[in-house]
Amino acid sequence: MSRMERLRAKLKELGADAFITEKAENRRYLSGFTGSTGWVIVTADQALFVTDFRYIDQAKEQCHGYTIINNQRQPLEAIRQQLQQLQVKKLAFETSISFAAYDQWQKSFAGVELVPVSGLIEQLRMIKEAAEVEVIRQAARIADEAYEHILGFVKPGMREIDVAIELEFFMRKHGADASAFDMIVASGVRGALPHGRASEKRIEAGEMVTIDFGALYRGYVSDVTRTFAVGEPDPKMKEIYDIVLQAQLNGVNKLKPGMTGKEGDALTRDIIAAAGYAEAYGHSTGHGIGLEVHEGPALSTVSSTVLEPGMVVTVEPGIYVSGLGGVRIEDDVLITADGCEILTKSTKELLILSV
């Protein structure tokens, strides 16, 4: 079934007459619209896109199969009129909207029952179509090329922020629309910070460096982490690297459809725990990627979601030791009919850069 058919089937299950979203990623997923303002309204047989005069031409070009409505700078009134014309009595809306917006909607859409739904479109988005996978594959390729480039760029004395800037510049120069997120560059003891954003700290000889980055390409993201050394690292850090690599390889080699997110998480967590570092691995093994860098499904200790072909997830175990440093290795992985395919191809061998 198409995206619209699957949504309409969900609406029928909910007993709702229509669904509305303003969330950028869900709006784009349903309509193809890449602008910053607009509302998608879907009924059993109609699809409307409500926006203002700035985006009318863009919406006509991108929102195939939609009736385009100019809101005349009064979006809630325009939506109210359309709901009235469509005879909508029960309107499904996303619980991610603010309370202030909900309060306005209750006042503006008097006579329409608002039906809260959580994760409706996000559930549809979990299983990627072939075209989506191809875009993610290209985002992964750009990130791989950026990693190869940065290995020849990093030198002792360089600031972490300089590495982040060079990574983003390279990715954008080679086809990315932007960096997928605020990238992590954490060197030395800062490697113990799982989300150590690039700082003014200067990289020193003998330190391990963890970089977590990705490319935003045609709306979809990649998300890759590699850890390398600038000069000969502490032997303890090399030992930690080997444990994380063993765990990560077990994850990407054994992940398959039919597993729950919890079972996928255990593929890496059990190895790290057996090595004595259970307390040093405090985050989940992975998460879905697509239009957002964090979406479903999760590979975590509490995830009961069953993995299905077409899902794209990260596998990113790590060990973080305060005062010493940390290691994380991450790939983007496509769940296939009989296993998985690793989309990020960069080497995971511990590279020790000459100084």
Side-chain angles (χ1 to χ4, degrees), residues 153 158-168 183 185 190 197-203:
F153 177 82
M158 185 174 291
R159 299 177 305 165
E160 293 173 348
I161 192 69
D162 294 326
V163 177
I165 291 169
E166 182 67 16
L167 274 170
E168 178 157 7
M183 65 184 68
V185 180
R190 291 192 74 249
R197 295 288 187 261
S199 73
E200 297 287 333
K201 179 189 175 301
R202 295 189 180 275
I203 298 169

Side-chain angles (χ1 to χ4, degrees), residues 286-298:
H287 54 83
I289 61 169
L291 288 167
E292 294 181 272
V293 74
H294 288 97
E295 57 183 55

Side-chain angles (χ1 to χ4, degrees), residues 260-313:
T260 64
K262 182 176 181 178
E263 290 169 334
D265 179 88
L267 293 175
T268 67
R269 193 169 306 280
D270 289 352
I271 289 175
I272 289 175
Y277 287 98
E279 298 302 315
Y281 179 19
H283 59 73
S284 300
T285 288
H287 54 83
I289 61 169
L291 288 167
E292 294 181 272
V293 74
H294 288 97
E295 57 183 55
L299 303 183
S300 75
T301 58
V302 296
S303 175
S304 59
T305 302
V306 176
L307 301 180
E308 299 181 48
M311 292 178 171
V312 181
V313 298

Side-chain angles (χ1 to χ4, degrees), residues 327-338:
V327 173
R328 182 166 66 254
I329 303 171
E330 174 186 24
D331 282 314
D332 300 336
V333 174
L334 168 67
I335 305 299
T336 63
D338 56 0

Side-chain angles (χ1 to χ4, degrees), residues 163-281:
V163 177
I165 291 169
E166 182 67 16
L167 274 170
E168 178 157 7
F169 177 76
F170 182 93
M171 289 191 295
R172 297 191 72 158
K173 189 175 180 180
H174 289 79
D177 299 319
S179 174
F181 50 89
D182 290 337
M183 65 184 68
I184 293 164
V185 180
S187 60
V189 295
R190 291 192 74 249
L193 303 174
H195 278 187
R197 295 288 187 261
S199 73
E200 297 287 333
K201 179 189 175 301
R202 295 189 180 275
I203 298 169
E204 299 179 17
E207 289 186 331
M208 301 278 269
V209 181
T210 296
I211 58 173
D212 185 343
F213 66 104
L216 174 65
Y217 178 73
R218 297 185 180 179
Y220 288 79
V221 303
S222 56
D223 184 5
V224 59
T225 305
R226 292 292 186 267
T227 302
F228 57 90
V230 180
E232 190 64 30
D234 185 303
K236 190 66 175 179
M237 291 301 298
K238 293 176 75 173
E239 175 188 315
I240 288 172
Y241 189 96
D242 288 342
I243 296 167
V244 174
L245 179 58
Q246 180 186 359
Q248 206 270 348
L249 289 173
N250 194 59
V252 298
N253 288 331
K254 294 184 178 179
L255 204 62
K256 61 183 180 180
M259 279 185 169
T260 64
K262 182 176 181 178
E263 290 169 334
D265 179 88
L267 293 175
T268 67
R269 193 169 306 280
D270 289 352
I271 289 175
I272 289 175
Y277 287 98
E279 298 302 315
Y281 179 19

